[in-house]
Amino acid sequence: MVKVSHFAMTIDSSFDRVPPPLRDAMLERGFSSLTPVQSAVVEPGLEGRDLRISSQTGSGKTVAIGLVLAAWLAPEPGGAEGRGAPRDRACRPRAIVVAPTRELAAQVSNELAWLLAPVGGRTVTVTGGTNVGVELRALARGAEVVVGTPGRLLDHLSRGAIDAGDVRAVVLDEADQLLDLGFRDELEAIVEGLPEERQTLLVSATFPRDVLALADRYQRDPVAVAGTPPGDANADIAHVAHLVRADERFDALVNLLLVAPPDERTLVFARTRAGAAELADLLAHERFAAAGLTGEMEQRERTRTLDAFRSGQLKVLVATDVAARGLDVPDVGRVIHFDVPDNDEVYTHRSGRTGRAGRKGTSHVLVPPSRQRLVAEMARRARVELGWQPVPGPEQVLEAEAERLEARVLEGPAPDDVRLQKLALQLLAHAHDPADLVTRLLALADQSSPCRPRRVTSIEPRTGHAPGRRASGAPITFRVGWGGRHGADPRRLLALVCRRGKVKSSDIGAIYVGPTSSTVEVSAQAAEQFAIAVRAPDARDGHIRISPLLRPPPPGAGEPLPRPMRGDAPARPHQGKHPFGRHTTAPRWASPR
């Protein structure tokens, strides 16, 4: 029988229950408190119990595992040998952690290494695709915790490189993914070869039926520990869907990347290895700092790619679902589902790559019209509020670029440089037109986007399948001087404009949140009343200005864009049908320098 534990405690008191050596290590790493899942596992009465740990991705589950395993690393009374010391060159660990992918195994091992080091918890990682000889030498030196992928762990257990006789705890991390990848036989062989007297931990963001069946088979009187209630969405993630023609998905992706802050990291998901590799090449050809992450890459190349993404050298990483497992980059600003996820669990795992460690993030789904109903249902099952917005057009991309340039010029104090101040006075003295002078200087300071924005067909959500308003007359677009950098998101923006404009939510159409400003569409019937209402002074948000977005009609789909942008890629021949709906003969391009 599963006993579900619910924890309501102050973070400070739970932090006090962490053993002093581990607490010191956490403080040194910048921890000031425990996350809910970490707080839950140190609750009194759970020592040695089998646990089913569920919490949203990025909530600190790996450190929670370490807090549990630390209890097994204390020397046993009368023990003559060191813990994990080799006997006949076999490693005798106290704990084994099973992970579905090489990346996740490496990330878990690295996290446990610094946490458990103060209590002598040496870790060794064993994964497929790496040098067996190197692993054998590491195991021969002894380890208290062995982290690995199922196949390689089973290999070392079978050949005797790992002696499981001293194992007191086993962890199945990302249990749902272990089963999805077909590791059931390896898992059963590993677990059944361990001592019966052990602690078994299952860790997963979700617990579908097959995972629960596995848990019932190997756990005894388990306690379900939920850092966040199962199915609860990460409140730090805004979820946005864009209806887009299948053959215009790449154009939509380009615009989403162009409108994003230039220093933001983006993770793009494709369904297949070939699709991810080809999509990364297309983005690199458009001069984005992009690369792919797929399962067939050599480990050295995968590590180099991930390091470049973590350091910011790469801004865009295109990955498959399996390859992104274990990706731990706290400041991924947005996730873009280029291919619609297969189900709500895949959507949850993908989206969880952003909004980590208390940071805000956005999850975008590019939805062909034929899949609108499917995506709406998937969002309902995932318990996320999905906002339907049009893909940013060229005008919005250019406006975002102008805002970034304005911020670069005006943010912060003016340089205290006498030479530059003297030159500024000389330029003003010789300039016939100050506006012309400023224009020239802005052109020199401009850091244009990698390529020009694209025109994407606007598609309205079908009534009943997605939120939206239908009314006669074209809606009027208003600019709101509040953007994502200052805390705006679609939900908060909707509340603001309804209150300021004295309109109902049904009068508001598409909402687009930019870096420093946003736009909202107001129905033609309510636009005049709305424009009058937002001009009135507001005591709560007086600094946020709302005004009609006065722009000339956008050029036709076949016309050139309003202005050229530096760094445009040369035109490509249009011959073969590209799998993403674009026509090109260019098969591959080198990654950007």
Side-chain angles (χ1 to χ4, degrees):
M1 178 180 179
V2 178
K3 299 179 180 179
V4 181
S5 296
H6 299 280
F7 303 99
M9 64 186 76
T10 63
I11 294 296
D12 292 339
S13 64
S14 63
F15 200 64
D16 289 341
R17 285 193 286 273
V18 176
L22 272 64
R23 183 166 63 242
D24 293 343
M26 295 178 71
L27 291 171
E28 187 175 340
R29 297 285 290 200
F31 284 74
S32 59
S33 62
L34 299 184
T35 66
V37 68
Q38 295 160 5
S39 176
V41 299
V42 296
E43 175 77 357
L46 297 185
E47 297 85 355
R49 297 287 300 276
D50 286 354
L51 304 178
R52 299 179 183 180
I53 302 174
S54 63
S55 192
Q56 65 193 19
T57 305
S59 59
K61 294 195 294 288
T62 303
V63 170
I65 293 172
L67 296 176
V68 176
L69 297 184
W72 297 110
L73 302 186
E76 292 184 351
E81 297 182 79
R83 292 161 297 161
R87 178 197 297 142
D88 298 330
R89 301 188 65 80
C91 178
R92 295 186 291 113
R94 305 286 287 177
I96 288 178
V97 181
V98 189
T101 66
R102 289 176 282 183
E103 286 74 26
L104 182 56
Q107 183 252 317
V108 169
S109 185
N110 292 336
E111 198 82 348
L112 294 179
W114 67 260
L115 178 65
L116 300 178
V119 292
R122 181 173 180 267
T123 66
V124 167
T125 310
V126 295
T127 62
T130 54
N131 188 290
V132 176
V134 173
E135 292 180 354
L136 289 174
R137 289 190 290 272
L139 291 170
R141 291 192 291 270
E144 289 68 38
V145 181
V146 176
V147 184
T149 49
R152 185 57 61 89
L153 275 170
L154 188 57
D155 287 346
H156 286 304
L157 286 165
S158 301
R159 71 175 67 197
I162 299 176
D163 181 347
D166 289 346
V167 170
R168 293 295 176 266
V170 61
V171 180
L172 305 184
D173 196 13
E174 299 282 7
D176 55 344
Q177 186 71 2
L178 284 167
L179 294 181
D180 288 345
L181 294 176
F183 289 128
R184 180 180 295 276
D185 292 342
E186 290 87 344
L187 290 178
E188 292 177 351
I190 291 171
V191 176
E192 290 174 0
L194 302 180
E196 288 189 10
E197 294 298 324
R198 66 172 189 274
Q199 184 181 25
T200 303
L201 281 68
L202 265 72
V203 187
S204 184
T206 59
F207 274 82
R209 182 178 304 173
D210 53 350
V211 176
L212 291 176
L214 182 72
D216 291 338
R217 181 173 179 179
Y218 293 115
Q219 289 187 311
R220 292 174 295 185
D221 192 24
V223 178
V225 177
T228 53
D232 274 17
N234 187 340
D236 290 329
I237 303 175
H239 301 269
V240 183
H242 307 278
L243 278 177
V244 59
R245 285 170 38 176
D247 61 345
E248 292 183 347
R249 282 184 302 155
F250 184 75
D251 295 327
L253 174 62
V254 166
N255 283 9
L256 286 173
L257 294 176
L258 290 177
V259 83
D263 57 345
E264 182 177 84
R265 293 173 183 80
T266 299
L267 182 59
V268 180
F269 279 98
R271 178 173 289 106
T272 65
R273 294 176 180 178
E278 187 71 12
L279 186 56
D281 285 341
L282 283 168
L283 291 173
H285 180 68
E286 298 291 351
R287 293 184 171 84
F288 288 97
L293 184 72
T294 59
E296 80 277 5
M297 295 169 64
E298 294 292 336
Q299 186 61 33
R300 183 177 301 178
E301 184 182 2
R302 294 158 74 94
T303 301
R304 185 166 57 246
T305 300
L306 285 173
D307 288 345
F309 188 56
R310 289 189 180 98
S311 68
Q313 179 184 352
L314 285 175
K315 302 299 183 184
V316 183
L317 191 64
V318 186
T320 57
D321 296 313
V322 173
R325 287 285 176 156
L327 180 64
D328 186 29
V329 181
D331 48 358
V332 172
R334 67 185 61 206
V335 163
I336 300 177
H337 309 261
F338 185 83
D339 289 319
V340 171
D342 291 331
N343 53 56
D344 54 299
E345 292 176 8
V346 173
Y347 180 84
T348 298
H349 281 296
R350 285 182 177 185
S351 301
R353 297 300 114 191
T354 188
R356 299 169 72 90
R359 296 175 174 88
K360 299 293 184 181
T362 307
S363 174
H364 299 263
V365 193
L366 301 182
V367 186
S370 62
R371 308 202 73 183
Q372 181 185 335
R373 182 192 296 271
L374 180 148
V375 171
E377 177 61 22
M378 180 179 63
R380 185 191 65 79
R381 290 195 303 267
R383 301 184 186 180
V384 300
E385 184 175 341
L386 196 63
W388 294 82
Q389 300 178 13
V391 175
E395 293 78 17
Q396 292 168 316
V397 172
L398 296 176
E399 182 178 349
E401 181 183 292
E403 290 178 352
R404 290 195 290 265
L405 181 58
E406 180 182 359
R408 288 181 56 223
V409 173
L410 297 180
E411 285 182 357
D416 187 16
D417 189 317
V418 175
R419 181 182 62 87
L420 291 178
Q421 291 172 354
K422 180 179 179 181
L423 179 58
L425 293 173
Q426 291 176 353
L427 290 173
L428 287 171
H430 291 92
H432 297 291
D433 183 0
D436 179 67
L437 173 61
V438 173
T439 302
R440 292 170 182 267
L441 294 175
L442 288 176
L444 294 174
D446 190 7
Q447 294 181 346
S448 293
S449 301
C451 61
R452 66 166 50 185
R454 313 298 179 86
R455 294 229 166 262
V456 180
T457 306
S458 178
I459 303 175
E460 286 287 322
R462 295 194 299 273
T463 304
H465 296 174
R469 172 199 50 77
R470 300 293 174 269
S472 59
I476 308 300
T477 303
F478 286 78
R479 182 184 185 276
V480 183
W482 188 35
R485 290 183 184 175
H486 309 109
D489 60 41
R491 189 164 29 190
R492 299 175 68 187
L493 199 60
L494 177 62
L496 171 74
V497 296
C498 287
R499 181 181 62 81
R500 290 278 299 272
K502 296 180 173 55
V503 295
K504 301 176 182 178
S505 59
S506 58
D507 291 317
I508 304 299
I511 296 177
Y512 170 73
V513 180
T516 57
S517 69
S518 307
T519 61
V520 297
E521 290 183 352
V522 182
S523 68
Q525 292 85 345
E528 184 176 355
Q529 170 195 337
F530 182 87
I532 295 172
V534 297
R535 286 200 296 265
D538 185 79
R540 287 174 55 181
D541 302 296
H543 63 289
I544 299 178
R545 298 186 58 188
I546 304 176
S547 57
L549 187 64
L550 300 177
R551 287 188 177 276
E559 299 178 18
L561 295 170
R563 64 174 177 83
M565 303 180 70
R566 293 202 308 269
D568 284 352
R572 288 173 283 162
H574 296 266
Q575 296 179 11
K577 178 67 175 177
H578 187 273
F580 303 137
R582 298 173 59 76
H583 296 266
T584 177
T585 57
R588 292 283 177 112
W589 294 278
S591 299
R593 289 185 294 235

PDB file of all heavy atoms in Angstrom, residues 302-315:
ATOM      1  N   ARG A 302      29.273  15.539 -28.323  1.00  0.00           N
ATOM      2  CA  ARG A 302      28.109  15.927 -27.539  1.00  0.00           C
ATOM      3  C   ARG A 302      28.525  16.817 -26.377  1.00  0.00           C
ATOM      4  O   ARG A 302      27.885  17.839 -26.081  1.00  0.00           O
ATOM      5  CB  ARG A 302      27.398  14.675 -27.010  1.00  0.00           C
ATOM      6  CG  ARG A 302      26.776  13.825 -28.091  1.00  0.00           C
ATOM      7  CD  ARG A 302      26.584  12.394 -27.615  1.00  0.00           C
ATOM      8  NE  ARG A 302      25.479  12.280 -26.685  1.00  0.00           N
ATOM      9  CZ  ARG A 302      24.239  11.949 -27.045  1.00  0.00           C
ATOM     10  NH1 ARG A 302      23.975  11.731 -28.323  1.00  0.00           N
ATOM     11  NH2 ARG A 302      23.292  11.836 -26.159  1.00  0.00           N
ATOM     12  N   THR A 303      29.605  16.428 -25.699  1.00  0.00           N
ATOM     13  CA  THR A 303      30.092  17.226 -24.569  1.00  0.00           C
ATOM     14  C   THR A 303      30.526  18.608 -25.024  1.00  0.00           C
ATOM     15  O   THR A 303      30.223  19.617 -24.371  1.00  0.00           O
ATOM     16  CB  THR A 303      31.257  16.503 -23.878  1.00  0.00           C
ATOM     17  OG1 THR A 303      30.819  15.225 -23.416  1.00  0.00           O
ATOM     18  CG2 THR A 303      31.777  17.318 -22.700  1.00  0.00           C
ATOM     19  N   ARG A 304      31.224  18.667 -26.149  1.00  0.00           N
ATOM     20  CA  ARG A 304      31.686  19.959 -26.671  1.00  0.00           C
ATOM     21  C   ARG A 304      30.498  20.848 -27.038  1.00  0.00           C
ATOM     22  O   ARG A 304      30.498  22.061 -26.762  1.00  0.00           O
ATOM     23  CB  ARG A 304      32.584  19.731 -27.885  1.00  0.00           C
ATOM     24  CG  ARG A 304      33.219  21.004 -28.425  1.00  0.00           C
ATOM     25  CD  ARG A 304      34.348  20.692 -29.395  1.00  0.00           C
ATOM     26  NE  ARG A 304      33.907  19.857 -30.503  1.00  0.00           N
ATOM     27  CZ  ARG A 304      34.332  18.614 -30.712  1.00  0.00           C
ATOM     28  NH1 ARG A 304      35.204  18.064 -29.881  1.00  0.00           N
ATOM     29  NH2 ARG A 304      33.883  17.917 -31.745  1.00  0.00           N
ATOM     30  N   THR A 305      29.468  20.263 -27.641  1.00  0.00           N
ATOM     31  CA  THR A 305      28.276  21.041 -28.014  1.00  0.00           C
ATOM     32  C   THR A 305      27.556  21.572 -26.783  1.00  0.00           C
ATOM     33  O   THR A 305      27.164  22.744 -26.733  1.00  0.00           O
ATOM     34  CB  THR A 305      27.331  20.174 -28.855  1.00  0.00           C
ATOM     35  OG1 THR A 305      28.001  19.736 -30.036  1.00  0.00           O
ATOM     36  CG2 THR A 305      26.084  20.953 -29.246  1.00  0.00           C
ATOM     37  N   LEU A 306      27.376  20.721 -25.774  1.00  0.00           N
ATOM     38  CA  LEU A 306      26.695  21.152 -24.553  1.00  0.00           C
ATOM     39  C   LEU A 306      27.495  22.228 -23.825  1.00  0.00           C
ATOM     40  O   LEU A 306      26.916  23.181 -23.292  1.00  0.00           O
ATOM     41  CB  LEU A 306      26.455  19.959 -23.641  1.00  0.00           C
ATOM     42  CG  LEU A 306      25.321  19.019 -24.063  1.00  0.00           C
ATOM     43  CD1 LEU A 306      25.299  17.781 -23.179  1.00  0.00           C
ATOM     44  CD2 LEU A 306      23.981  19.731 -23.996  1.00  0.00           C
ATOM     45  N   ASP A 307      28.807  22.085 -23.784  1.00  0.00           N
ATOM     46  CA  ASP A 307      29.642  23.108 -23.134  1.00  0.00           C
ATOM     47  C   ASP A 307      29.511  24.450 -23.847  1.00  0.00           C
ATOM     48  O   ASP A 307      29.465  25.507 -23.205  1.00  0.00           O
ATOM     49  CB  ASP A 307      31.103  22.667 -23.110  1.00  0.00           C
ATOM     50  CG  ASP A 307      31.360  21.540 -22.115  1.00  0.00           C
ATOM     51  OD1 ASP A 307      30.485  21.312 -21.255  1.00  0.00           O
ATOM     52  OD2 ASP A 307      32.421  20.890 -22.207  1.00  0.00           O
ATOM     53  N   ALA A 308      29.443  24.423 -25.173  1.00  0.00           N
ATOM     54  CA  ALA A 308      29.291  25.668 -25.938  1.00  0.00           C
ATOM     55  C   ALA A 308      27.932  26.306 -25.663  1.00  0.00           C
ATOM     56  O   ALA A 308      27.802  27.531 -25.599  1.00  0.00           O
ATOM     57  CB  ALA A 308      29.458  25.395 -27.435  1.00  0.00           C
ATOM     58  N   PHE A 309      26.902  25.481 -25.492  1.00  0.00           N
ATOM     59  CA  PHE A 309      25.567  26.008 -25.189  1.00  0.00           C
ATOM     60  C   PHE A 309      25.536  26.594 -23.779  1.00  0.00           C
ATOM     61  O   PHE A 309      24.974  27.670 -23.553  1.00  0.00           O
ATOM     62  CB  PHE A 309      24.540  24.880 -25.329  1.00  0.00           C
ATOM     63  CG  PHE A 309      23.108  25.324 -25.235  1.00  0.00           C
ATOM     64  CD1 PHE A 309      22.600  26.295 -26.080  1.00  0.00           C
ATOM     65  CD2 PHE A 309      22.257  24.751 -24.296  1.00  0.00           C
ATOM     66  CE1 PHE A 309      21.271  26.700 -25.993  1.00  0.00           C
ATOM     67  CE2 PHE A 309      20.934  25.138 -24.202  1.00  0.00           C
ATOM     68  CZ  PHE A 309      20.441  26.114 -25.054  1.00  0.00           C
ATOM     69  N   ARG A 310      26.144  25.902 -22.824  1.00  0.00           N
ATOM     70  CA  ARG A 310      26.169  26.406 -21.450  1.00  0.00           C
ATOM     71  C   ARG A 310      26.931  27.724 -21.361  1.00  0.00           C
ATOM     72  O   ARG A 310      26.553  28.626 -20.619  1.00  0.00           O
ATOM     73  CB  ARG A 310      26.809  25.377 -20.520  1.00  0.00           C
ATOM     74  CG  ARG A 310      25.959  24.146 -20.270  1.00  0.00           C
ATOM     75  CD  ARG A 310      26.549  23.294 -19.177  1.00  0.00           C
ATOM     76  NE  ARG A 310      25.738  22.110 -18.923  1.00  0.00           N
ATOM     77  CZ  ARG A 310      25.993  20.917 -19.432  1.00  0.00           C
ATOM     78  NH1 ARG A 310      27.058  20.757 -20.214  1.00  0.00           N
ATOM     79  NH2 ARG A 310      25.209  19.894 -19.170  1.00  0.00           N
ATOM     80  N   SER A 311      28.026  27.840 -22.103  1.00  0.00           N
ATOM     81  CA  SER A 311      28.855  29.047 -22.017  1.00  0.00           C
ATOM     82  C   SER A 311      28.257  30.225 -22.773  1.00  0.00           C
ATOM     83  O   SER A 311      28.685  31.361 -22.579  1.00  0.00           O
ATOM     84  CB  SER A 311      30.255  28.753 -22.568  1.00  0.00           C
ATOM     85  OG  SER A 311      30.203  28.515 -23.974  1.00  0.00           O
ATOM     86  N   GLY A 312      27.264  29.963 -23.635  1.00  0.00           N
ATOM     87  CA  GLY A 312      26.660  31.037 -24.414  1.00  0.00           C
ATOM     88  C   GLY A 312      27.258  31.193 -25.793  1.00  0.00           C
ATOM     89  O   GLY A 312      26.818  32.037 -26.576  1.00  0.00           O
ATOM     90  N   GLN A 313      28.281  30.384 -26.118  1.00  0.00           N
ATOM     91  CA  GLN A 313      28.841  30.451 -27.470  1.00  0.00           C
ATOM     92  C   GLN A 313      27.788  30.033 -28.495  1.00  0.00           C
ATOM     93  O   GLN A 313      27.694  30.605 -29.580  1.00  0.00           O
ATOM     94  CB  GLN A 313      30.068  29.546 -27.570  1.00  0.00           C
ATOM     95  CG  GLN A 313      30.714  29.536 -28.953  1.00  0.00           C
ATOM     96  CD  GLN A 313      31.871  28.557 -29.026  1.00  0.00           C
ATOM     97  OE1 GLN A 313      32.296  27.994 -28.022  1.00  0.00           O
ATOM     98  NE2 GLN A 313      32.384  28.336 -30.224  1.00  0.00           N
ATOM     99  N   LEU A 314      27.005  29.025 -28.148  1.00  0.00           N
ATOM    100  CA  LEU A 314      25.845  28.640 -28.945  1.00  0.00           C
ATOM    101  C   LEU A 314      24.597  29.207 -28.279  1.00  0.00           C
ATOM    102  O   LEU A 314      24.420  29.068 -27.071  1.00  0.00           O
ATOM    103  CB  LEU A 314      25.717  27.115 -29.030  1.00  0.00           C
ATOM    104  CG  LEU A 314      26.677  26.366 -29.933  1.00  0.00           C
ATOM    105  CD1 LEU A 314      26.466  24.865 -29.772  1.00  0.00           C
ATOM    106  CD2 LEU A 314      26.494  26.760 -31.389  1.00  0.00           C
ATOM    107  N   LYS A 315      23.742  29.853 -29.057  1.00  0.00           N
ATOM    108  CA  LYS A 315      22.497  30.419 -28.527  1.00  0.00           C
ATOM    109  C   LYS A 315      21.302  29.506 -28.759  1.00  0.00           C
ATOM    110  O   LYS A 315      20.299  29.609 -28.051  1.00  0.00           O
ATOM    111  CB  LYS A 315      22.225  31.782 -29.170  1.00  0.00           C
ATOM    112  CG  LYS A 315      23.330  32.802 -28.971  1.00  0.00           C
ATOM    113  CD  LYS A 315      23.556  33.108 -27.502  1.00  0.00           C
ATOM    114  CE  LYS A 315      24.623  34.178 -27.327  1.00  0.00           C
ATOM    115  NZ  LYS A 315      24.931  34.418 -25.903  1.00  0.00           N
TER     116      LYS A 315
END
